[in-house]
Amino acid sequence: MKTRVLTAIIALLLFVPIVLLGGIFIQIGAIALGIVAMSEVLIMKKKLVISPEAILSFIGVTLLIAPSNWFNDLPSFLSVNFLFYLVVMLLMLRNVFTKNIFSFDDAGVITLAMLYIGMGFHYFIAARHVGIAVLFYALFIVWLTDSGAYIFGKQFGKHKLAPHVSPNKTWEGSICGSLLATIIATAWMYYFSVGHTSLLVAVIVTLVLSIAGQFGDLVESALKRYYQVKDSGKILPGHGGILDRFDSLLFVLPLLHLFGII
């Protein structure tokens, strides 16, 4: 418990100033988080983080995370989408030159991971660019849902939510966590005019985002179960890896874009 608390304090001391400063600080921070998260996927797949496919995946995830204005000076035919596709092509060619030691299945998993991690952290930057209240709105949804689900699940949980993926989660915890997040985060959203919506729409959007965050958590739990690991990584003692901490947020942030908030 002491290790978990100490890690949380140190992480917050690093994370909060970066969020508050925004700009280049959060851009570099998001790329660093994305590369670490990508390395966690590689390690789960038992791939070396200094291998050619790892380097390609780091380039690909950086292309997706970085804000579009980073590429303004490139020729028009070198769009981010085109450069990313070149990375995918090189990953497929890697299969040819390694005689299936690096397979098409490996290339597919790495491509999926680049999209999942890259676009998630791209919208992390986008949310902060719109305003610090928007990013904290997303963070509050995730933190409150997770905390509420844990507290109420421990106290009242009886019915398993997804025992084949995450045996400790319960319907009672899930519902109470979403209700807690919806009440508090909606108040934040409405007070700071996040999204400039009516109160009813704010409630609906916040509830949907809270549920989406739980789906993100379950997806990452399924990923870990598939690769038979307890945590995605060890960079955060007592908490696991970057994917363990950002799995819900990687689902919530793209939906903020879908709803026109970022």
Side-chain angles (χ1 to χ4, degrees):
M1 180 58 73
K2 288 182 179 179
T3 300
R4 186 178 178 87
V5 172
L6 182 60
T7 300
I9 292 171
I10 294 172
L12 285 172
L13 288 174
L14 294 172
F15 182 74
V16 172
I18 290 174
V19 170
L20 293 175
L21 288 168
I24 190 66
F25 298 98
I26 202 165
Q27 292 166 6
I28 297 298
I31 289 171
L33 289 171
I35 289 174
V36 173
M38 192 68 231
S39 71
E40 291 173 356
V41 174
L42 292 165
I43 291 169
M44 280 192 278
K45 281 193 62 62
K46 296 180 171 56
K47 300 294 181 184
L48 294 174
V49 294
I50 55 172
S51 60
E53 57 265 26
I55 294 169
L56 285 170
S57 73
F58 298 155
I59 294 171
V61 84
T62 299
L63 286 170
L64 293 177
I65 295 173
S68 57
N69 60 12
W70 280 28
F71 307 99
N72 285 345
D73 294 332
L74 291 177
S76 58
F77 63 89
L78 290 179
S79 66
V80 173
N81 290 340
F82 180 75
L83 292 173
F84 179 76
Y85 187 65
L86 285 181
V87 170
V88 175
M89 290 174 67
L90 290 171
L91 281 172
M92 291 189 292
L93 278 173
R94 176 96 175 116
N95 171 69
V96 175
F97 293 108
T98 61
K99 299 179 180 179
N100 279 325
I101 294 174
F102 179 80
S103 68
F104 282 113
D105 285 343
D106 293 329
V109 170
I110 290 174
T111 300
L112 181 61
M114 286 189 296
L115 287 166
Y116 163 56
I117 295 166
M119 295 309 296
F121 280 110
H122 175 83
Y123 289 119
F124 181 80
I125 297 171
R128 178 60 184 89
H129 179 72
V130 173
I132 195 167
V134 175
L135 181 53
F136 272 108
Y137 167 66
L139 291 170
F140 284 152
I141 290 173
V142 170
W143 293 341
L144 290 166
T145 303
D146 187 52
S147 299
Y150 177 79
I151 293 168
F152 290 108
K154 281 282 188 182
Q155 191 72 24
F156 306 109
K158 292 181 180 179
H159 301 88
K160 299 297 183 182
L161 178 64
H164 60 292
V165 172
S166 186
N168 294 326
K169 290 181 172 60
T170 65
W171 277 103
E172 292 83 357
S174 172
I175 293 169
C176 290
S178 284
L179 288 175
L180 178 68
T182 300
I183 292 168
I184 298 176
T186 296
W188 175 277
M189 182 186 193
Y190 199 66
Y191 181 80
F192 287 101
S193 299
V194 174
H196 304 283
T197 63
S198 67
L199 180 58
L200 177 60
V201 172
V203 170
I204 295 171
V205 167
T206 305
L207 179 59
V208 170
L209 292 174
S210 176
I211 295 170
Q214 294 190 63
F215 278 127
D217 191 356
L218 289 172
V219 165
E220 210 256 338
S221 294
L223 178 67
K224 291 187 292 185
R225 186 166 287 268
Y226 180 79
Y227 287 112
Q228 299 181 339
V229 296
K230 181 178 182 294
D231 297 314
S232 66
K234 299 178 180 178
I235 194 171
L236 300 170
H239 292 266
I242 296 302
L243 281 176
D244 290 312
R245 294 299 90 202
F246 286 86
D247 51 5
S248 297
L249 201 62
L250 293 178
F251 264 54
V252 168
L253 289 168
L255 288 183
L256 285 179
H257 175 73
L258 180 65
F259 293 144
I261 297 173
I262 61 176

